Amino acid sequence: MRFTAVDLGASSGRVMTADITHEKVELTEAHRFANRPVRVSGTLHWDVLGLYREILDGLRRAGPAESIGIDSWAVDYGLLDGDGRLIGNPVHYRDGRTAGLTERVDPYGVTGLQFLPFNTVNQLRCDGRDGLLDRAATMLLIPDLLAYWLTGDIGAERTNASTTGLYDVTRRDWAWDLVDRLGLPRRVLPPVTEDPAGPLRPDVAEEIGHTTTVTRVASHDTASAVVAVPAAAPAFAYISCGTWSLVGVELPAPVLTEESRLANFTNEAGVDGTTRYLRNVMGLWILQECLRVWGSPDLAPLLAEAERVRIDIVVDPDDPTFLPPGDMPARIAAYCARTGQRAPEGPAQAVRCILQSLALAYQRAVADATRLSGRKVEVVHLVGGGSRNELLCRLTADATGLPVVAGPVEATALGNALVQARARGLVGDLAQMRDLVRRSADVRTYEPRERPWGQ
């Protein structure tokens, strides 16, 4: 059977076809495109209409399929009026409008969510302050918005709803008492659902040249990526590594202790009632911005040179200075001056600094996840685009002291397609899906060595 996975990351999107049998999965890229934000009148927006156009182009190129699934980054959304029209382009989470909202408003014992100023709950507070919620009938997270445009169906897929700061992780529904306390209108929150979105609208089917249905997959891209972690046993940690890195373990229930809150761990919904217990780490964003400032040089020679570099310079990737777009090499230098370190000398040293800083952040997150959850970890699975970065994988093995299994690169698209296949009865539970990934994906194992840096 053939399925189509629409996978939107924070810097690029792709439409993939997945041919799935009981024995293996074969992924083919039908269309890849950039995801470039747009700043208008001082506000950073997603070009969501441009993304929708690219998705339609990709669906046309992909051709007929059993169904379509959509995943994307979390927290951001579009507001619709009573006629289903979009009220302005969705605001990008890196926009500074929530920077002053530093006080937590969602109780950790209810939402179980890591505090980040740009969480949906804080963005909605900004929209309420600006009067936009008075005009809104519905709030749809990005994958749900795209599914609505394709099918006309309105709903909130569970894994992404759990990232909003308005979801009760124990009751597995919106935290209505919290919604009321914050003065947010109940009407804007659509029903939390895992049901299929339904068939394509006739005009959409005509435009792409075929008709099919949209299946609600694990629409938070990390949730789909974790589905495709090729683990054979539960004693694993995962790092879903791209623009952001999500580092954690898979659990049967949330961890809502005070110690967990203080460690800034998040409890997000996964497939089959699982909990993705994780910490957000800044990820390859810092490196991506450095490359942009340097004029987009070829990364491969830089990585080869950085492999030979030996420095002990490290930064905290989660320092707020690294969140917005800008001159990241200058910010690294300023951080080093502030912390009594010498700054990296040239791009190769900067790359080495970034990657070993990420590896140390991963080590801390894995150690904390193990300590706080009681989950034993014997191997780290690093999936997503970062799994192609051999130096990052080696440094992560060295930092954690654990084997790092790198791959699959397209874990998110794989997990997206596998959940669609399960909806068609082609595959069963998580264990069966992961077995299929192990038989299909190219992975590489990095064994830990003695760590020569950041002692």
Side-chain angles (χ1 to χ4, degrees), residues 56-57 59-60 68 200 203-212:
L56 293 178
D57 288 346
L59 295 177
R60 190 181 303 112
I68 298 165
L200 295 180
D203 59 314
V204 174
E206 181 178 2
E207 183 165 355
I208 68 173
H210 56 88
T211 189
T212 186

Side-chain angles (χ1 to χ4, degrees), residues 289-448:
E289 279 291 276
C290 283
L291 293 172
R292 182 185 62 78
V293 170
W294 293 331
S296 301
D298 185 0
L299 180 58
L302 271 178
L303 288 172
E305 190 177 351
E307 177 93 44
R308 298 188 291 271
V309 168
R310 291 294 180 268
I311 57 173
D312 283 340
I313 307 169
V314 294
V315 300
D316 177 4
D318 295 320
D319 190 280
T321 191
F322 300 124
L323 178 63
D327 188 345
M328 215 59 79
R331 292 178 187 174
I332 292 172
Y335 180 97
C336 289
R338 178 159 45 95
T339 55
Q341 304 178 83
R342 66 178 181 86
E345 298 176 1
Q349 284 199 8
V351 170
R352 180 79 185 205
C353 166
I354 292 166
L355 295 184
Q356 61 192 28
S357 298
L358 284 176
L360 285 172
Y362 297 163
Q363 182 273 328
R364 292 191 296 269
V366 170
D368 287 345
T370 301
R371 174 177 56 84
L372 294 167
S373 70
R375 169 72 76 188
K376 182 180 180 182
V377 171
E378 297 175 346
V379 62
V380 176
H381 284 273
L382 196 155
V383 300
S387 66
R388 290 180 293 207
N389 190 317
E390 293 187 11
L391 179 55
L392 177 61
C393 295
R394 288 196 186 99
L395 292 172
T396 301
D398 294 344
T400 61
L402 295 167
V404 169
V405 178
V409 172
E410 296 290 357
T412 303
L414 270 173
N416 178 323
L418 285 168
V419 172
Q420 293 182 65
R422 183 169 70 170
R424 292 295 187 278
L426 189 60
V427 65
D429 60 10
L430 267 175
Q432 291 181 25
M433 288 189 269
R434 288 171 176 159
D435 180 63
L436 202 53
V437 173
R438 286 195 299 277
R439 287 187 270 128
S440 306
D442 293 325
V443 300
R444 180 174 178 181
T445 300
Y446 297 83
E447 295 292 342

Side-chain angles (χ1 to χ4, degrees), residues 16-34:
M16 311 284 288
T17 61
D19 291 292
I20 303 180
T21 69
H22 294 292
E23 302 300 323
K24 66 183 301 186
V25 183
E26 291 186 3
L27 274 182
T28 304
E29 183 179 299
H31 185 43
R32 185 175 290 263
F33 47 92

